[in-house]
Amino acid sequence: MRKPNETMLEPEIEALERDDLLKLQNGKLAALGERLARSPEWVEHFRQAGLKPGDLADRQALAALPFLEKSQLRERYPLPMLGVETAAVQRFCATSGTTGLPVLFGFTASDIDLLARQVARQLYSHGVRPGDRGYNGFGFGLWAGGLAYDIGMAELGVTNFPLGPGRSDLVVEWLKDMAWTLATVSPVFLSSLIRAAKEKGIDPKRHWKLQHAVIGGQSVSRAFRDELEAEMPEGFRSFNTYGTTEAGGPIVASTCPWSHERDEMHLMNEDSVLVEILDPETLTPVGPGEVGELVVTTLDKEASPVVRWRTRDLVRVAEHSGDCPCGRKGMGAIGRIIGRSDDMLKVRGVIVYPSQIEDVVAATPGTVKEAWQIYVDQPGSSPNSLTVAIEQENGYNGNPDDLADAVGRSLTSRLGLKVPVECHPAGALPRYEAKAQRVLVRS
């Protein structure tokens, strides 16, 4: 295990006490207000609450501001709340657009530099060092993931192989031949790579050199993560990371070696991304051990800043944020993403999160961990019925009905709800290279 001071790329910031971090945030809030005061769109947004951007010089004004929602940005199509002239934008990234037109977010040259430093800080905390060889398996194009890890690896001095997702046959060979030590990849695609390697006679545990995987794009259960690690070379760890395009990229939270063991993440860039965790119904702050929705304000971003952006992602606040052996006393800590406040299902009065289903599937021997679906009978958060589909592993010698029954019993115990379970042969259900779509409507 590394010494605590060896997990911080910028200890002068990362090791700040909480009061000192808050003072840093307060100064940046005031500067943010000065920048937003030059934007008519932002001035109008603040006016809705009877405030003006300059009021951010007093931190208390933040809690009085309205939240920023995706619908508000779509109303200002095509380049909403940009904050700078378009000519000052170096490039754009965008949301997925699964529920409508993608929303574009700009990055100035300064924003690109900021993103590189934010990602490099996270990579360093995982144990990645200059000279490591990295496979960037996140998507490119308009998505922020591929860009973020390209420039983050460059900032840290990592040799980058930006192959992106897909091309499994090539990736599993190059993991062996190129001796990659780092992979940035979605967890379901990493699981697929392990399976593809074994089908080609490649044993990841013996033939690969991977020591670090940064997994993002979706949350995974601890059981799924542990299974990934068990298939890899000795010393390998898969580190959760979390972020959104709106927050500036995959930079909101990530794990150090100690928080990894607790299945928690540090809010590792709180000096540049202010995070509130609020009850999704009352919209008031929650305390340690409680579940709330992540709300973010970008303090340093020039193009497309956000103020009180509702991510809709739900997390449990860590019980003891400031006592991690890594020395990050002032930065908050959260558990993995539980689900989304707008993806939560209420079935016959019982609250169900997709992550609860994944926990059960991942913990049941004989199932394919990355292949499962939830079928509902109607769109929306209150379906009348819910069915779970699973796959049996290749080589599973038991009765598929028995596997379905085992998952069903565990789901009933976990949820307090009887859930029908279908067991399909290996390869029958969809695979996802990036964010998985788990809830589908089936008539």
Side-chain angles (χ1 to χ4, degrees):
M1 186 65 73
R2 295 180 181 86
K3 297 178 182 178
N5 62 354
E6 293 181 355
T7 71
M8 297 183 190
L9 184 61
E10 300 172 296
E12 69 280 5
I13 300 295
E14 296 175 73
L16 285 174
E17 298 286 346
R18 185 65 182 173
D19 286 346
D20 293 328
L21 181 62
L22 293 177
K23 288 178 183 177
L24 178 61
Q25 289 182 342
N26 290 344
K28 290 190 173 185
L29 274 173
L32 174 63
E34 293 177 3
R35 295 198 304 275
L36 298 183
R38 298 192 288 268
S39 165
E41 283 187 309
W42 277 107
V43 169
E44 176 58 30
H45 182 73
F46 275 68
R47 188 179 292 128
Q48 296 173 24
L51 298 170
K52 55 185 183 299
D55 292 330
L56 284 179
D58 179 359
R59 190 188 185 99
Q60 302 305 313
L62 189 65
L65 281 171
F67 297 98
L68 194 59
E69 305 269 6
K70 189 168 290 186
S71 60
Q72 295 172 287
L73 299 185
R74 286 190 170 135
E75 289 170 0
R76 293 173 168 85
Y77 176 85
L79 301 176
M81 316 293 273
L82 195 54
V84 297
E85 295 294 328
T86 308
V89 177
Q90 190 172 90
R91 67 160 293 161
F92 281 94
C93 291
T95 59
S96 62
T98 53
T99 58
L101 280 173
V103 178
L104 288 164
F105 290 83
F107 290 77
T108 65
S110 177
D111 293 335
I112 295 289
D113 289 342
L114 170 65
L115 178 58
R117 297 194 307 273
Q118 290 168 325
V119 173
R121 181 186 291 181
Q122 294 186 166
L123 290 173
Y124 194 89
S125 75
H126 306 325
V128 181
R129 294 294 181 267
D132 278 340
R133 301 181 183 187
Y135 156 54
N136 189 354
F138 285 127
F140 292 84
L142 281 170
W143 192 47
L147 164 70
Y149 285 98
D150 262 9
I151 62 179
M153 288 186 200
E155 177 75 13
L156 191 56
V158 174
T159 302
N160 182 15
F161 295 79
L163 195 59
R167 305 187 71 182
S168 299
D169 286 349
L170 179 59
V171 174
V172 298
E173 292 284 358
W174 277 11
L175 276 162
K176 172 172 62 74
D177 299 336
M178 304 296 180
W180 293 334
T181 53
L182 163 69
T184 61
V185 65
S186 78
V188 290
F189 189 52
L190 182 57
S191 181
S192 296
L193 289 174
I194 294 170
R195 196 175 304 276
K198 290 181 176 181
E199 290 172 357
K200 294 190 70 170
I202 296 171
D203 180 0
K205 192 181 291 289
R206 293 190 300 114
H207 297 139
W208 291 355
K209 303 298 182 184
L210 278 179
Q211 288 295 291
H212 322 277
V214 179
I215 54 177
Q218 66 188 101
S219 181
V220 295
S221 69
R222 183 163 190 164
F224 190 176
R225 191 196 71 192
D226 289 346
E227 181 169 289
L228 289 175
E229 293 180 351
E231 298 283 357
M232 292 294 194
E234 184 178 355
F236 171 88
R237 289 292 180 268
S238 56
F239 292 98
N240 284 334
T241 190
Y242 167 76
T244 68
T245 302
E246 299 86 356
I251 46 75
V252 175
S254 195
T255 48
C256 74
W258 289 272
S259 58
H260 169 274
E261 300 303 324
R262 299 191 303 271
D263 203 19
E264 293 178 350
M265 295 181 286
H266 293 287
L267 298 172
M268 202 168 287
N269 287 299
E270 271 200 294
D271 56 309
S272 56
V273 181
L274 188 153
V275 176
E276 301 171 82
I277 304 178
L278 308 179
D279 184 290
E281 294 184 358
T282 66
L283 298 175
T284 56
V286 300
E290 297 178 332
V291 172
E293 179 183 324
L294 285 156
V295 175
V296 300
T297 296
T298 52
L299 298 173
D300 291 339
K301 203 161 183 296
E302 295 179 339
S304 303
V306 295
V307 179
R308 305 202 87 195
W309 174 265
R310 290 192 67 176
T311 68
R312 301 288 179 175
D313 291 321
L314 298 173
V315 296
R316 188 178 303 279
V317 180
E319 293 280 2
H320 304 287
S321 292
D323 64 355
C324 184
C326 74
R328 291 178 176 84
K329 299 176 182 178
M331 294 182 174
I334 57 176
R336 62 185 171 89
I337 304 300
I338 295 171
R340 291 179 55 83
S341 58
D342 53 1
D343 277 354
M344 179 185 75
L345 301 172
K346 191 171 186 178
V347 185
R348 301 192 296 278
V350 177
I351 300 297
V352 177
Y353 294 108
S355 62
Q356 295 172 304
I357 308 293
E358 185 192 47
D359 285 347
V360 169
V361 174
T364 305
T367 61
V368 179
K369 311 311 179 192
E370 73 272 22
W372 56 276
Q373 296 288 162
I374 300 172
Y375 297 121
V376 296
D377 62 347
Q378 63 188 41
S381 60
S382 300
N384 296 314
S385 68
L386 177 152
T387 300
V388 171
I390 62 172
E391 276 187 17
Q392 65 184 43
E393 286 186 323
N394 271 325
Y396 174 72
N397 295 320
N399 187 318
D401 291 338
D402 292 340
L403 188 57
D405 288 344
V407 171
R409 288 193 301 272
S410 295
L411 287 174
T412 298
S413 176
R414 177 72 181 267
L415 304 175
L417 180 74
K418 188 171 179 59
V419 179
V421 177
E422 305 171 352
C423 185
H424 297 265
L429 297 178
R431 300 298 195 271
Y432 300 93
E433 292 179 354
K435 186 177 293 185
Q437 184 179 0
R438 295 302 188 191
V439 182
L440 302 175
V441 177
R442 185 173 69 176
S443 57

PDB file of all heavy atoms in Angstrom, residues 15-23 25 59 267 270 275 329-332:
ATOM      1  N   ALA A  15      -4.960  18.242  -0.131  1.00  0.00           N
ATOM      2  CA  ALA A  15      -4.842  18.002   1.311  1.00  0.00           C
ATOM      3  C   ALA A  15      -5.389  19.151   2.155  1.00  0.00           C
ATOM      4  O   ALA A  15      -5.208  19.169   3.373  1.00  0.00           O
ATOM      5  CB  ALA A  15      -3.382  17.736   1.681  1.00  0.00           C
ATOM      6  N   LEU A  16      -6.087  20.099   1.535  1.00  0.00           N
ATOM      7  CA  LEU A  16      -6.621  21.219   2.283  1.00  0.00           C
ATOM      8  C   LEU A  16      -7.613  20.775   3.355  1.00  0.00           C
ATOM      9  O   LEU A  16      -8.367  19.816   3.166  1.00  0.00           O
ATOM     10  CB  LEU A  16      -7.342  22.204   1.344  1.00  0.00           C
ATOM     11  CG  LEU A  16      -6.480  23.115   0.465  1.00  0.00           C
ATOM     12  CD1 LEU A  16      -7.373  23.900  -0.484  1.00  0.00           C
ATOM     13  CD2 LEU A  16      -5.630  24.049   1.321  1.00  0.00           C
ATOM     14  N   GLU A  17      -7.627  21.479   4.485  1.00  0.00           N
ATOM     15  CA  GLU A  17      -8.684  21.281   5.474  1.00  0.00           C
ATOM     16  C   GLU A  17      -9.995  21.804   4.890  1.00  0.00           C
ATOM     17  O   GLU A  17     -10.015  22.631   3.979  1.00  0.00           O
ATOM     18  CB  GLU A  17      -8.344  22.040   6.762  1.00  0.00           C
ATOM     19  CG  GLU A  17      -7.066  21.591   7.449  1.00  0.00           C
ATOM     20  CD  GLU A  17      -7.221  20.242   8.158  1.00  0.00           C
ATOM     21  OE1 GLU A  17      -8.388  19.798   8.335  1.00  0.00           O
ATOM     22  OE2 GLU A  17      -6.190  19.650   8.523  1.00  0.00           O
ATOM     23  N   ARG A  18     -11.107  21.360   5.456  1.00  0.00           N
ATOM     24  CA  ARG A  18     -12.405  21.725   4.905  1.00  0.00           C
ATOM     25  C   ARG A  18     -12.625  23.235   4.904  1.00  0.00           C
ATOM     26  O   ARG A  18     -13.098  23.791   3.912  1.00  0.00           O
ATOM     27  CB  ARG A  18     -13.534  21.030   5.687  1.00  0.00           C
ATOM     28  CG  ARG A  18     -14.939  21.249   5.098  1.00  0.00           C
ATOM     29  CD  ARG A  18     -15.056  20.622   3.732  1.00  0.00           C
ATOM     30  NE  ARG A  18     -16.358  20.836   3.117  1.00  0.00           N
ATOM     31  CZ  ARG A  18     -16.652  20.489   1.876  1.00  0.00           C
ATOM     32  NH1 ARG A  18     -15.740  19.910   1.108  1.00  0.00           N
ATOM     33  NH2 ARG A  18     -17.856  20.719   1.374  1.00  0.00           N
ATOM     34  N   ASP A  19     -12.292  23.896   5.972  1.00  0.00           N
ATOM     35  CA  ASP A  19     -12.501  25.346   6.037  1.00  0.00           C
ATOM     36  C   ASP A  19     -11.699  26.069   4.969  1.00  0.00           C
ATOM     37  O   ASP A  19     -12.178  27.040   4.354  1.00  0.00           O
ATOM     38  CB  ASP A  19     -12.142  25.883   7.421  1.00  0.00           C
ATOM     39  CG  ASP A  19     -13.180  25.521   8.474  1.00  0.00           C
ATOM     40  OD1 ASP A  19     -14.295  25.087   8.088  1.00  0.00           O
ATOM     41  OD2 ASP A  19     -12.873  25.671   9.673  1.00  0.00           O
ATOM     42  N   ASP A  20     -10.479  25.603   4.723  1.00  0.00           N
ATOM     43  CA  ASP A  20      -9.649  26.233   3.707  1.00  0.00           C
ATOM     44  C   ASP A  20     -10.202  25.975   2.301  1.00  0.00           C
ATOM     45  O   ASP A  20     -10.141  26.849   1.430  1.00  0.00           O
ATOM     46  CB  ASP A  20      -8.210  25.722   3.806  1.00  0.00           C
ATOM     47  CG  ASP A  20      -7.528  26.178   5.091  1.00  0.00           C
ATOM     48  OD1 ASP A  20      -7.850  27.284   5.563  1.00  0.00           O
ATOM     49  OD2 ASP A  20      -6.696  25.424   5.621  1.00  0.00           O
ATOM     50  N   LEU A  21     -10.747  24.761   2.089  1.00  0.00           N
ATOM     51  CA  LEU A  21     -11.351  24.463   0.800  1.00  0.00           C
ATOM     52  C   LEU A  21     -12.585  25.345   0.557  1.00  0.00           C
ATOM     53  O   LEU A  21     -12.789  25.854  -0.549  1.00  0.00           O
ATOM     54  CB  LEU A  21     -11.735  22.984   0.731  1.00  0.00           C
ATOM     55  CG  LEU A  21     -12.367  22.516  -0.585  1.00  0.00           C
ATOM     56  CD1 LEU A  21     -11.405  22.694  -1.749  1.00  0.00           C
ATOM     57  CD2 LEU A  21     -12.826  21.067  -0.487  1.00  0.00           C
ATOM     58  N   LEU A  22     -13.395  25.540   1.601  1.00  0.00           N
ATOM     59  CA  LEU A  22     -14.582  26.388   1.470  1.00  0.00           C
ATOM     60  C   LEU A  22     -14.182  27.829   1.147  1.00  0.00           C
ATOM     61  O   LEU A  22     -14.847  28.500   0.349  1.00  0.00           O
ATOM     62  CB  LEU A  22     -15.421  26.337   2.741  1.00  0.00           C
ATOM     63  CG  LEU A  22     -16.092  24.987   3.040  1.00  0.00           C
ATOM     64  CD1 LEU A  22     -16.836  25.041   4.369  1.00  0.00           C
ATOM     65  CD2 LEU A  22     -17.049  24.592   1.919  1.00  0.00           C
ATOM     66  N   LYS A  23     -13.110  28.319   1.762  1.00  0.00           N
ATOM     67  CA  LYS A  23     -12.638  29.676   1.456  1.00  0.00           C
ATOM     68  C   LYS A  23     -12.218  29.775  -0.012  1.00  0.00           C
ATOM     69  O   LYS A  23     -12.493  30.780  -0.682  1.00  0.00           O
ATOM     70  CB  LYS A  23     -11.460  30.028   2.364  1.00  0.00           C
ATOM     71  CG  LYS A  23     -11.843  30.271   3.817  1.00  0.00           C
ATOM     72  CD  LYS A  23     -10.599  30.573   4.655  1.00  0.00           C
ATOM     73  CE  LYS A  23     -10.956  30.744   6.127  1.00  0.00           C
ATOM     74  NZ  LYS A  23      -9.743  30.975   6.959  1.00  0.00           N
ATOM     75  N   GLN A  25     -13.374  27.937  -2.474  1.00  0.00           N
ATOM     76  CA  GLN A  25     -14.616  27.927  -3.252  1.00  0.00           C
ATOM     77  C   GLN A  25     -15.300  29.291  -3.224  1.00  0.00           C
ATOM     78  O   GLN A  25     -15.816  29.754  -4.246  1.00  0.00           O
ATOM     79  CB  GLN A  25     -15.570  26.861  -2.711  1.00  0.00           C
ATOM     80  CG  GLN A  25     -15.153  25.431  -2.996  1.00  0.00           C
ATOM     81  CD  GLN A  25     -16.170  24.432  -2.461  1.00  0.00           C
ATOM     82  OE1 GLN A  25     -16.994  24.765  -1.603  1.00  0.00           O
ATOM     83  NE2 GLN A  25     -16.127  23.214  -2.964  1.00  0.00           N
ATOM     84  N   ARG A  59     -21.745  33.348  -0.376  1.00  0.00           N
ATOM     85  CA  ARG A  59     -22.072  31.946  -0.624  1.00  0.00           C
ATOM     86  C   ARG A  59     -23.534  31.621  -0.332  1.00  0.00           C
ATOM     87  O   ARG A  59     -24.123  30.717  -0.955  1.00  0.00           O
ATOM     88  CB  ARG A  59     -21.145  31.054   0.207  1.00  0.00           C
ATOM     89  CG  ARG A  59     -21.227  29.566  -0.132  1.00  0.00           C
ATOM     90  CD  ARG A  59     -20.430  28.724   0.865  1.00  0.00           C
ATOM     91  NE  ARG A  59     -20.409  27.325   0.478  1.00  0.00           N
ATOM     92  CZ  ARG A  59     -19.401  26.735  -0.152  1.00  0.00           C
ATOM     93  NH1 ARG A  59     -18.315  27.425  -0.469  1.00  0.00           N
ATOM     94  NH2 ARG A  59     -19.464  25.459  -0.467  1.00  0.00           N
ATOM     95  N   LEU A 267     -14.848  13.405  -3.718  1.00  0.00           N
ATOM     96  CA  LEU A 267     -15.172  14.527  -4.597  1.00  0.00           C
ATOM     97  C   LEU A 267     -13.855  15.256  -4.868  1.00  0.00           C
ATOM     98  O   LEU A 267     -13.531  16.272  -4.281  1.00  0.00           O
ATOM     99  CB  LEU A 267     -16.202  15.435  -3.934  1.00  0.00           C
ATOM    100  CG  LEU A 267     -17.545  14.752  -3.637  1.00  0.00           C
ATOM    101  CD1 LEU A 267     -18.444  15.640  -2.804  1.00  0.00           C
ATOM    102  CD2 LEU A 267     -18.242  14.336  -4.937  1.00  0.00           C
ATOM    103  N   GLU A 270     -13.214  19.211  -5.896  1.00  0.00           N
ATOM    104  CA  GLU A 270     -14.115  20.181  -5.281  1.00  0.00           C
ATOM    105  C   GLU A 270     -13.563  21.604  -5.301  1.00  0.00           C
ATOM    106  O   GLU A 270     -14.313  22.546  -5.044  1.00  0.00           O
ATOM    107  CB  GLU A 270     -14.427  19.780  -3.832  1.00  0.00           C
ATOM    108  CG  GLU A 270     -15.622  18.869  -3.695  1.00  0.00           C
ATOM    109  CD  GLU A 270     -16.190  18.897  -2.288  1.00  0.00           C
ATOM    110  OE1 GLU A 270     -15.499  18.439  -1.355  1.00  0.00           O
ATOM    111  OE2 GLU A 270     -17.327  19.369  -2.117  1.00  0.00           O
ATOM    112  N   VAL A 275     -20.086  20.836  -5.129  1.00  0.00           N
ATOM    113  CA  VAL A 275     -21.104  19.795  -5.105  1.00  0.00           C
ATOM    114  C   VAL A 275     -22.040  19.995  -3.912  1.00  0.00           C
ATOM    115  O   VAL A 275     -21.584  20.156  -2.782  1.00  0.00           O
ATOM    116  CB  VAL A 275     -20.458  18.389  -5.023  1.00  0.00           C
ATOM    117  CG1 VAL A 275     -21.529  17.311  -4.909  1.00  0.00           C
ATOM    118  CG2 VAL A 275     -19.589  18.138  -6.254  1.00  0.00           C
ATOM    119  N   LYS A 329      -8.630  15.476   3.637  1.00  0.00           N
ATOM    120  CA  LYS A 329      -9.464  15.803   4.793  1.00  0.00           C
ATOM    121  C   LYS A 329     -10.633  16.716   4.436  1.00  0.00           C
ATOM    122  O   LYS A 329     -11.696  16.645   5.036  1.00  0.00           O
ATOM    123  CB  LYS A 329      -8.607  16.488   5.866  1.00  0.00           C
ATOM    124  CG  LYS A 329      -7.458  15.640   6.390  1.00  0.00           C
ATOM    125  CD  LYS A 329      -6.608  16.437   7.377  1.00  0.00           C
ATOM    126  CE  LYS A 329      -5.421  15.618   7.865  1.00  0.00           C
ATOM    127  NZ  LYS A 329      -4.566  16.409   8.797  1.00  0.00           N
ATOM    128  N   GLY A 330     -10.419  17.602   3.471  1.00  0.00           N
ATOM    129  CA  GLY A 330     -11.420  18.622   3.195  1.00  0.00           C
ATOM    130  C   GLY A 330     -12.404  18.274   2.110  1.00  0.00           C
ATOM    131  O   GLY A 330     -13.447  18.914   1.995  1.00  0.00           O
ATOM    132  N   MET A 331     -12.098  17.278   1.314  1.00  0.00           N
ATOM    133  CA  MET A 331     -12.967  16.924   0.198  1.00  0.00           C
ATOM    134  C   MET A 331     -13.990  15.897   0.635  1.00  0.00           C
ATOM    135  O   MET A 331     -13.679  14.960   1.358  1.00  0.00           O
ATOM    136  CB  MET A 331     -12.138  16.404  -0.976  1.00  0.00           C
ATOM    137  CG  MET A 331     -11.253  17.485  -1.574  1.00  0.00           C
ATOM    138  SD  MET A 331     -10.308  16.933  -2.994  1.00  0.00           S
ATOM    139  CE  MET A 331      -9.565  18.496  -3.514  1.00  0.00           C
ATOM    140  N   GLY A 332     -15.215  16.060   0.171  1.00  0.00           N
ATOM    141  CA  GLY A 332     -16.281  15.144   0.541  1.00  0.00           C
ATOM    142  C   GLY A 332     -16.090  13.765  -0.056  1.00  0.00           C
ATOM    143  O   GLY A 332     -15.233  13.549  -0.926  1.00  0.00           O
TER     144      GLY A 332
END
